[in-house]
Amino acid sequence: MSTNHTVDCPSCSSIKTAPAAHDKDVRLTQWPIQIKLIGTAAPFLEDADLLVAADCTAFATPGFHEKFLPGKKVLIGCPKLDDATQYLAKFTEIFGSHSIRKVTCLRMEVPCCGGMTAVLKEAINRSGRKIPMAEIIVGVKGEVLSEKSILD
């Protein structure tokens, strides 16, 4: 079963924003951002640098937008509360049908968040594509604990 949503759906598109008033005014460039809502054929995925962020990271990290959003298309979800099998199928389809430049997994330090990294890594492997992937782990107090390359 395909997880593709209608490409013409206005809720699955790039966002046209006014030019930033200053360099630190970073905004979302696409909608939706929830992994469960994104269509696998969304045009903004083509040639994208993806930031796949665990839901809690945006609330735990001061300056989330400025630190992590520039130049990226963001997708958010919770590997504990959402269905990881659906995530795996969706990301495998996305990675297999789009030219993704890089995937960055931004997750919390808590053990359940490690599922996001595992799903993304397996989806890249199943897609048959060579997509670089990095993982950034954020502490519960909002500090970046580690950054590392997972797949080169």
Side-chain angles (χ1 to χ4, degrees), residues 65-81:
H65 284 76
E66 293 81 11
K67 287 180 186 176
F68 302 115
L69 284 188
K72 294 182 177 66
K73 301 299 181 182
V74 64
L75 299 176
I76 65 167
C78 178
K80 182 174 182 172
L81 299 178

Side-chain angles (χ1 to χ4, degrees), residues 108-142:
M108 299 299 296
E109 68 178 314
V110 295
C112 55
C113 241
M116 189 69 84
T117 303
V119 163
L120 292 169
K121 186 175 176 182
E122 181 61 21
I124 290 170
N125 289 334
R126 288 185 184 191
S127 76
R129 302 270 177 106
K130 186 171 173 60
I131 302 171
M133 180 180 156
E135 177 188 60
I136 302 171
I137 299 176
V138 175
V140 295
K141 293 182 180 177

Side-chain angles (χ1 to χ4, degrees), residues 3 10 22 32 39 47 53 58-59 70 101-102 107 110 114 116 123 131-132 141 151:
T3 54
H22 52 81
D47 201 33
F59 296 98
R101 288 183 293 181
K102 181 179 180 180
R107 69 176 195 86
V110 295
M116 189 69 84
I131 302 171
K141 293 182 180 177
L151 299 171

